[in-house]
């Protein structure tokens, strides 16, 4: 399949699995973007009822649009050789569009909707056409054509939402994003051609794992930035200093729980998988949830450090407790994807947090964050006891096992 015109653009089997400096440079735009997402989440932390739901939903939609841009770029650099100038130009161009989305994001659902949508559509429509042109006569050129066709189909919804009445923006953009994600899940099917399922693509699995781990660390870095910025910008007090310390401990525990076994062996699992793209598709969705959970949790840090003993509001539970709950759910999913099991420690942690939630609604935010840190510490301790003295297991993912008919001719 690698022979023919445009084959020099494909990532060869001997290509290094580690992310290139270009990709690390590309991630800088998403450092800014994740910070802006966290800021928008923080803007709704004191809302209640329908205002909280719609405010959270608007920010979630913008985050999902950003994630689609980042994730597609990661798949491009896992399929194509990032040292080729065409791919480098594509990545740098995407970085600029991502930066435009980042700087417009704080008002991306308001007066800056048009530049946000324009940057998004430029990447989704123009980028695959550039890749298809660079592939020339190679059979893989049909895949980026599919992406461009489906992105063009959802483009009227994006533009109508950006240019139309404000009250229609959320439903129109939600429909457009649903089309984009559904197209991805179905393999961008076209008449007479059928789908090109992502699970059958030929990719560098170790590279994909590396990129997912890096994005998790970027999200954690954003949470550390929030902790430092909020504490440095408020009047010093012993209560705020204690909240600062507990928030940092919580981030450290998230790091520890993620990289214990499953997160650490993600690269090995994708390297061993007979169908790495299938496992990569599953872990990509899991990391979407993990990154989102860290961003939501960081908003809880800001709330608690600002007002550690302030009045309790229903909305703060969504961030202080909801973020860690989502993290444990996603981490359990990752464990299953890597080992085919669900760890008891994380089930215990999840159930404990859910049982405490109603009681925490009556306590001050400092108590909520302290309980979350204690539960995560328990999960980390149980993980350490279970694996003490045992070597790293061999990954045994139930996903990514090849069966007949899995591979697509355009892969």
């Amino acid at each position: 399949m690698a022979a023919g015109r445009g084959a020099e653009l494909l990532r060869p089997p001997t290509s290094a699995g580690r992310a290139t400096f270009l990709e690390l440079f590309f991630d800088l735009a998403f450092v800014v973007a994740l910070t802006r997402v966290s800021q928008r989440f923080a803007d709704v932390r004191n809302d209640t009822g329908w205002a909280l739901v719609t405010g959270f939903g608007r920010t979630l939609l913008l985050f999902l649009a950003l994630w689609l841009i980042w994730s597609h770029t990661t798949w491009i650099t896992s399929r194509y050789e990032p040292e080729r100038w065409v791919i480098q130009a594509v990545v740098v161009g995407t970085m600029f569009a991502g930066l435009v989305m980042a700087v417009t994001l704080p008002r991306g659902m308001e007066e800056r909707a048009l530049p946000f949508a324009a940057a998004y559509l430029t990447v989704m429509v123009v980028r695959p056409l550039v890749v298809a042109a660079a592939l020339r006569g190679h059979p893989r050129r049909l895949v980026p054509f599919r992406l461009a066709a489906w992105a063009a189909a959802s483009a009227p919804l994006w533009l109508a939402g950006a240019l139309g009445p404000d009250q229609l923006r959320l439903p129109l953009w939600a429909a457009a994003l649903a089309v984009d994600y559904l197209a991805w899940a179905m393999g961008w099917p076209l008449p007479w051609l059928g789908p090109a399922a992502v699970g059958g693509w030929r990719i560098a699995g170790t590279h994909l794992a590396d990129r997912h781990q890096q994005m998790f660390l970027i999200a954690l870095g954003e949470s550390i930035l929030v902790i430092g910025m909020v504490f440095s910008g408020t009047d010093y007090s012993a209560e705020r200093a204690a909240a600062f310390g507990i928030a940092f401990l919580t981030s450290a525990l998230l790091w520890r729980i993620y990289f214990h076994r499953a997160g650490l062996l993600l690269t090995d699992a994708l390297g061993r998988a007979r169908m790495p793209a299938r496992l990569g598709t599953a872990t990509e969705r899991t990391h979407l949830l993990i990154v989102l959970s860290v961003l939501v949790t960081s908003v809880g840090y800001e709330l608690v450090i600002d007002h550690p003993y302030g009045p309790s509001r229903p909305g703060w539970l969504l961030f202080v407790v909801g973020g860690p709950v989502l993290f444990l759910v996603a981490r359990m999913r990752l464990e299953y994807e890597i080992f085919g099991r669900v760890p008891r420690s994380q089930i215990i942690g999840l159930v404990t947090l859910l049982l405490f939630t109603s009681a925490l609604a009556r306590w001050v935010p400092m108590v909520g964050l302290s309980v979350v840190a204690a539960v995560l510490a328990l999960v980390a301790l149980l993980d350490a006891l279970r694996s003490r003295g045992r070597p790293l297991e061999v990954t045994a993912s139930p996903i990514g096992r090849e069966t007949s008919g899995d591979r697509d001719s355009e892969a």
Side-chain angles (χ1 to χ4, degrees):
M1 183 65 69
R5 299 177 62 194
E8 69 278 0
L9 205 64
L10 309 183
R11 180 185 276 267
T14 56
S15 179
R18 306 296 295 181
T20 63
F21 290 119
L22 172 66
E23 293 167 277
L24 298 178
F25 178 55
F26 166 79
D27 284 344
L28 295 178
F30 283 83
V31 172
V32 178
L34 293 185
T35 302
R36 300 301 92 190
V37 170
S38 180
Q39 176 188 330
R40 274 199 68 113
F41 275 134
D43 290 341
V44 303
R45 61 185 177 175
N46 292 324
D47 291 341
T48 58
W50 185 244
L52 175 64
V53 173
T54 56
F56 190 91
R58 286 170 178 264
T59 304
L60 178 61
L61 187 150
L62 297 175
F63 166 75
L64 291 175
L66 279 166
W67 182 267
L68 202 60
I69 295 295
W70 181 87
S71 186
H72 278 195
T73 306
T74 297
W75 282 85
I76 286 175
T77 52
S78 290
R79 279 168 63 77
Y80 304 109
E81 179 52 65
E83 299 300 332
R84 294 290 177 179
W85 72 266
V86 173
I87 300 303
Q88 291 179 349
V90 164
V91 171
V92 172
T94 303
M95 178 183 179
F96 179 75
L99 191 59
V100 171
M101 293 172 69
V103 298
T104 58
L105 192 144
R107 304 294 296 172
M109 293 293 290
E110 292 80 26
E111 68 272 11
R112 296 182 180 179
L114 183 57
F116 183 91
Y120 176 84
L121 290 175
T122 298
V123 175
M124 296 296 288
V125 178
V126 176
R127 181 175 66 181
L129 293 178
V130 173
V131 174
L135 285 169
R136 295 176 287 177
H138 196 278
R140 278 198 191 180
R141 75 191 186 284
L142 294 178
V143 173
F145 274 132
R146 293 170 179 274
L147 272 66
W150 274 91
S154 68
L157 292 171
W158 284 105
L159 293 175
L163 298 171
D166 291 350
Q167 60 269 25
L168 294 180
R169 185 164 300 134
L170 180 59
L172 286 173
W173 279 13
L177 199 62
V179 171
D180 291 340
Y181 271 90
L182 184 62
W184 190 8
M186 295 190 306
W188 303 277
L190 292 178
W192 301 289
L193 293 177
V198 178
W201 287 4
R202 293 181 179 88
I203 63 163
T206 54
H207 173 270
L208 194 65
D210 201 36
R211 299 295 287 132
H212 288 159
Q213 291 169 333
Q214 288 166 356
M215 180 49 72
F216 168 68
L217 290 174
I218 288 172
L220 268 187
E222 190 279 335
S223 74
I224 297 299
L225 178 64
V226 167
I227 293 170
M229 293 292 290
V230 174
F231 186 54
S232 65
T234 59
D235 295 333
Y236 176 82
S237 69
E239 293 82 4
R240 285 177 172 149
F244 169 79
I246 295 173
F248 176 79
L249 174 62
T250 302
S251 283
L253 289 167
L254 294 179
W255 166 83
R256 167 63 182 172
I257 294 170
Y258 172 86
F259 278 107
H260 183 267
R261 303 298 192 186
L264 183 64
L265 294 175
L266 178 63
T267 301
D268 181 68
L270 276 163
R272 287 174 175 271
R274 298 179 65 184
M275 295 287 289
R278 178 171 297 173
L279 178 57
T281 301
T283 57
E284 183 275 331
R285 294 166 184 163
T286 299
H287 280 80
L288 185 158
L289 297 177
I290 289 174
V291 170
L292 177 62
S293 72
V294 174
L295 295 180
V296 172
T297 302
S298 70
V299 176
Y301 298 157
E302 183 174 353
L303 186 154
V304 178
I305 295 173
D306 267 344
H307 305 287
Y309 292 96
S312 177
R313 296 184 178 92
W316 73 263
L317 282 175
L318 176 65
F319 301 104
V320 176
V321 181
V325 165
L326 180 59
F327 174 81
L328 288 176
V329 170
R331 181 56 181 77
M332 290 163 59
R333 175 182 163 120
L334 181 64
E335 187 87 10
Y336 174 78
E337 290 163 349
I338 303 304
F339 293 114
R341 69 190 182 204
V342 178
R344 292 181 184 178
S345 60
Q346 289 157 33
I347 295 176
I348 292 172
L350 177 62
V351 172
T352 303
L353 282 180
L354 292 176
L355 290 176
F356 270 106
T357 298
S358 59
L360 291 175
R362 298 189 294 270
W363 290 87
V364 295
M366 184 69 166
V367 173
L369 185 61
S370 300
V371 169
V372 165
V375 171
L376 293 178
L378 174 64
V379 172
L381 176 61
L382 293 175
D383 283 342
L385 291 175
R386 177 172 59 88
S387 60
R388 184 174 59 180
R390 299 179 181 178
L392 289 176
E393 305 101 313
V394 176
T395 57
S397 175
I399 305 171
R401 295 171 181 169
E402 186 173 6
T403 59
S404 60
D406 281 337
R407 293 199 176 274
D408 189 276
S409 60
E410 300 174 13

